[in-house]
Amino acid sequence: MDQQDLGTDIEKVLVAEAQIKHRLTELAADIDRDYAGEDLLIVGVLKGAVMVMADLARALHSPVRMDWMAVSSYGSGTKSSGVVRILKDLDTDLKDQHVLIVEDIIDSGLTLSWLLANLKSRGAASVEICTMLRKPEAAKVEIDVRYVGFEVPNEFVVGYGLDYAEKYRNVPFVATLAPHVYS
Ligand code: PRP
């Protein structure tokens, strides 16, 4: 898929496909170096992290294990409540494991903050975070994120796993949508 396929839906491309690919190679090299000689479990947070998990995993030079979680905000429906419910848990026992959580985006940081504490409490040897995108202006909580692809402004973005009403996840770049899409 490319921008032409989307007609007038795209307002502005914030991160191009080639930039994502290049940055992933850099992040993978850092991760390979930092975990050299260790067994690593990468954990993708559904659904947004599917693209970055698939591409990052293939850019790594070591045979990592991969597992998945699905989480949702509890109750109110506002995902920034910080209270998270597990919809699908890991299949892997984390005891003494080196864990790298992989995300598409950190917005308020509340989901990751909760997830970090949750996975650490399971006895992992280490838990770190890799995110393709981060919105520094939207942060409501400070989290130590080891690997960040790109910082983006505090705007609604889609593509590379990120959706609007479940669409646009398969757009291979990160973009803002034209106002008519929302109306
Ligand atoms: C997105 C993203 C993170 C979370 C970040 O997931 O994948 O998990 O929001 O937001 P926060 O930093 O404000 O907590 P979303 O809930 O949209 O679900 P999805 O991955 O299924 O699209």
Side-chain angles (χ1 to χ4, degrees):
M1 174 187 279
D2 59 30
Q3 201 173 339
Q4 281 189 342
D5 294 322
L6 296 160
T8 59
D9 286 6
I10 299 300
E11 183 180 65
K12 190 169 150 207
V13 176
L14 297 182
V15 191
E17 192 172 357
Q19 286 177 284
I20 294 174
K21 197 169 180 202
H22 178 74
R23 187 73 187 111
L24 272 174
T25 310
E26 293 178 339
L27 291 174
D30 289 346
I31 293 165
D32 277 329
R33 183 200 60 223
D34 294 348
Y35 291 94
E38 306 282 2
D39 276 334
L40 177 63
L41 172 73
I42 60 173
V43 170
V45 186
L46 295 167
K47 305 169 191 167
V50 166
M51 304 297 172
V52 59
M53 275 286 274
D55 289 343
L56 176 71
R58 285 178 294 180
L60 292 168
H61 287 274
S62 49
V64 294
R65 282 170 297 137
M66 300 169 75
D67 204 344
W68 301 90
M69 275 186 93
V71 297
S72 165
S73 275
Y74 196 43
S76 70
T78 55
K79 70 176 180 184
S80 295
S81 69
V83 184
V84 175
R85 173 166 63 121
I86 296 176
L87 302 177
K88 185 234 169 278
D89 207 344
L90 299 169
D91 298 326
T92 316
D93 180 358
L94 297 191
K95 182 107 185 74
D96 301 329
Q97 301 297 310
H98 291 289
V99 179
L100 180 63
I101 304 171
V102 177
E103 265 286 22
D104 51 337
I105 192 163
I106 300 177
D107 205 315
S108 69
L110 292 169
T111 306
L112 254 297
S113 172
W114 184 91
L115 206 53
L116 201 56
N118 181 281
L119 299 193
K120 278 181 177 167
S121 75
R122 303 185 194 196
S126 67
V127 185
E128 300 290 345
I129 298 167
C130 174
T131 185
M132 180 47 70
L133 303 174
R134 185 179 199 177
K135 287 183 180 172
E137 296 151 30
K140 288 195 175 154
V141 59
E142 274 299 310
I143 349 172
D144 192 13
V145 184
R146 192 151 182 191
Y147 309 97
V148 180
F150 300 93
E151 293 195 339
V152 289
N154 193 11
E155 295 175 57
F156 192 86
V157 293
V158 298
Y160 204 66
L162 290 151
D163 72 304
Y164 169 61
E166 292 300 326
K167 284 171 68 181
Y168 303 101
R169 291 191 196 273
N170 62 327
V171 172
F173 48 85
V174 176
T176 55
L177 288 173
H180 75 81
V181 177
Y182 303 110
S183 54

